[in-house]
């Protein structure tokens, strides 16, 4: 796959939320609705929603005031999930034991994403995960979304 240029990036969603525990579910549901509008399959929406929940939970647990969520198609047929927050604290990998009740977030994200990483900036960091189709013949994002952004819906 050839990466898209920034000019060709197709935004699915860009939104800011207060970093409260209730924002995890709100951000996930907001993103899932946008992905449904784009015609993404329900199985992939579930995977992307889980990645969003895990990355947003990390921002909320970092005790920041807000976070920003972006969903975009940077590589044709895949979705990039980005969560920015103003914390300089980097996500921590862990190896949870079977009886641990937390610590599996990044393990789940790495299992579902084909690429995962963190990019620092002067204001904080962006944690990102790229979700690619398991079958390249069936892209995540249809070539023509059911509800194109130009149709007047907010991103």
């Amino acid at each position: 796959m050839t990466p898209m240029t920034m000019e060709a990036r197709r935004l699915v969603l860009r939104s800011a939320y207060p970093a409260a525990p209730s924002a995890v579910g709100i951000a996930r549901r907001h993103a899932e609705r946008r992905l449904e509008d784009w015609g993404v399959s329900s199985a992939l929406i579930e995977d992307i929603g889980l990645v969003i929940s895990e990355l947003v939970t990390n921002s909320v647990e970092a005790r920041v005031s807000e976070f920003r969520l972006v969903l975009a198609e940077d590589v044709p047929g895949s979705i990039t999930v980005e969560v920015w927050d103003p914390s300089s604290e980097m996500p921590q990998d862990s190896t949870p034991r079977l009886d641990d009740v937390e610590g599996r977030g990044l393990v789940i994200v790495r299992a579902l994403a084909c690429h995962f990483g963190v990019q620092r900036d002067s204001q904080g960091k962006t944690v990102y995960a790229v979700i690619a189709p398991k079958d390249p013949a069936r892209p995540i994002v249809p070539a023509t979304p059911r509800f194109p952004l130009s149709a007047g819906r907010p991103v």
Side-chain angles (χ1 to χ4, degrees):
M1 284 190 256
T2 305
M4 294 181 151
T5 65
M6 289 309 285
E7 293 81 35
R9 181 178 224 204
R10 293 191 330 169
L11 282 176
V12 178
L13 172 78
R14 178 177 33 209
S15 196
Y17 303 88
S22 61
V24 176
I26 292 167
R28 180 176 178 161
R29 284 188 299 280
H30 187 195
E32 288 172 342
R33 281 194 307 275
R34 289 295 295 159
L35 293 165
E36 286 171 5
D37 288 346
W38 272 52
V40 176
S41 77
S42 59
L44 290 169
I45 289 173
E46 189 173 319
D47 286 352
I48 294 167
L50 185 53
V51 168
I52 290 167
S53 291
E54 296 302 337
L55 297 183
V56 167
T57 296
N58 286 349
S59 288
V60 170
E61 289 179 351
R63 304 200 191 297
V64 296
S65 59
E66 71 167 353
F67 66 89
R68 295 182 205 139
L69 172 64
V70 172
L71 298 182
E73 181 188 33
D74 292 317
V75 176
S78 68
I79 291 287
T80 301
V81 176
E82 299 175 354
V83 177
W84 176 90
D85 69 49
S87 172
S88 60
E89 184 179 322
M90 299 299 281
Q92 298 296 310
D93 280 318
S94 64
T95 308
R97 295 184 318 255
L98 288 176
D99 58 342
D100 287 344
V101 294
E102 58 184 29
R104 291 178 176 78
L106 294 182
V107 174
I108 292 168
V109 171
R110 288 183 192 280
L112 294 173
C114 63
H115 300 290
F116 166 80
V118 182
Q119 191 168 20
R120 290 182 193 245
D121 63 36
S122 62
Q123 309 275 312
K125 68 178 176 309
T126 300
V127 183
Y128 64 90
V130 179
I131 312 299
K134 291 169 182 47
D135 178 0
R138 300 183 67 176
I140 290 177
V141 179
T144 306
R146 270 193 295 191
F147 210 109
L149 294 178
S150 61
R153 277 197 146 177
V155 174

